[in-house]
Amino acid sequence: MPPVAKLIDIVKSGTLGQVRMVAIREHRFPFLVKVKNWNRFNYNSGGTLVEKCCHFFDLIRLFADANPVRVMASGAIDVNHKDEVYDGKVPDIIDNAYVIVEFDNGCRGMLDLCMFAEGSKNEQEISVVGDTGKGEAFVPEGVVRVGKRAGGRDGVVTVKAEDERIKYQGLHHGSSYLEHLNFLSAIRAQGACSPAISLDDGLLSVAIGVAGQLSIEKGRFVTIEEVLSS
């Protein structure tokens, strides 16, 4: 998504200094109906934090530029799917959670998830704070804000983030189209260049989600080492 891509460029440029905190808020609509309602049960999906939030954990790790060490989460199924029954079973996927991720460089990340928040202007609000500045991205508003500590509130700059390759936003605000372009380029390169996302990136993003689900179940911090060794 253009605003998120813009924020990634800002962070990588060093504008914010050393990243210390990353926070992502996703306040959105409930899970959509899928084939045979597979996404309604943890045993099919691994749980909400795995099935959908692994993408955000990957993004947090990208901003932190570090590897996750341990995870603490609190979540529940409080509103959605309680009146649904499939083959005599009621869905058990959580619809809201807070997840804290600690990284090996001292950075911390947090995901604030709510899936009964249709009354929101932005579905995603991403905040990255470094030791010299702060950056934010808002979707679908398509806005990025950047400010330096030295400049204070009056120094915050707001820009509209767009990508001229996107002619129709469609699913995921145009990012699905860009992902397909990148995927096609990687195939055509025939090994000459690496994909933007590696297998390790995918593994660790899922591991964070699994750790979050376990943390909710067990009521304690769960280490990534514990997840990967099980």
Side-chain angles (χ1 to χ4, degrees):
M1 300 180 189
V4 181
K6 177 68 173 176
L7 183 57
I8 290 172
D9 289 340
I10 290 170
V11 171
K12 287 185 175 181
S13 74
T15 301
L16 310 182
Q18 177 66 44
V19 174
R20 307 310 304 170
M21 301 180 72
V22 182
I24 296 180
R25 169 181 287 171
E26 185 187 32
H27 283 193
R28 54 162 281 173
F29 50 88
F31 273 122
L32 300 175
V33 175
K34 299 294 179 71
V35 175
K36 295 183 179 179
N37 302 292
W38 67 268
N39 62 342
R40 295 304 200 255
F41 297 96
N42 289 326
Y43 63 77
N44 289 330
S45 68
T48 300
L49 298 183
V50 174
E51 193 263 310
K52 77 165 305 301
C53 298
C54 60
H55 308 293
F56 290 116
F57 297 138
D58 182 48
L59 187 58
I60 291 174
R61 178 172 168 260
L62 178 63
F63 283 128
D65 191 26
N67 287 322
V69 176
R70 64 176 188 164
V71 177
M72 180 66 189
S74 174
I77 175 170
D78 289 327
V79 176
N80 298 339
H81 314 305
K82 287 188 169 186
D83 58 349
E84 300 175 13
V85 179
Y86 305 98
D87 296 327
K89 298 178 181 179
V90 177
D92 60 357
I93 49 171
I94 63 173
D95 58 15
N96 70 98
Y98 292 116
V99 184
I100 298 172
V101 185
E102 295 181 347
F103 292 88
D104 59 10
N105 66 350
C107 182
R108 285 184 299 279
M110 184 188 75
L111 174 68
D112 167 2
L113 173 71
C114 181
M115 299 188 70
F116 45 89
E118 292 92 327
S120 301
K121 181 175 183 178
N122 284 301
E123 183 178 309
Q124 297 170 32
E125 300 178 4
I126 302 172
S127 169
V128 181
V129 185
D131 54 11
T132 62
K134 175 182 177 180
E136 298 176 281
F138 300 89
V139 178
E141 193 175 1
V143 166
V144 174
R145 295 192 177 98
V146 184
K148 304 284 283 187
R149 293 179 66 188
R153 184 175 299 166
D154 292 338
V156 175
V157 176
T158 301
V159 297
K160 187 72 174 179
E162 298 175 324
D163 191 316
E164 62 181 13
R165 294 173 296 174
I166 299 174
K167 304 303 180 185
Y168 170 70
Q169 286 199 340
L171 294 175
H172 301 112
H173 314 287
S175 66
S176 293
Y177 170 66
L178 300 182
E179 286 176 344
H180 280 83
L181 289 182
N182 291 338
F183 183 55
L184 180 60
S185 295
I187 293 174
R188 286 176 170 170
Q190 297 183 339
C193 62
S194 300
I197 308 300
S198 71
L199 289 175
D200 284 339
D201 293 330
L203 175 64
L204 288 174
S205 66
V206 170
I208 295 172
V210 171
Q213 293 285 152
L214 284 174
S215 178
I216 293 172
E217 177 185 335
K218 298 178 180 297
R220 61 171 174 82
F221 268 104
V222 174
T223 66
I224 298 300
E225 181 180 6
E226 177 182 348
V227 170
L228 294 178
S229 63
S230 62

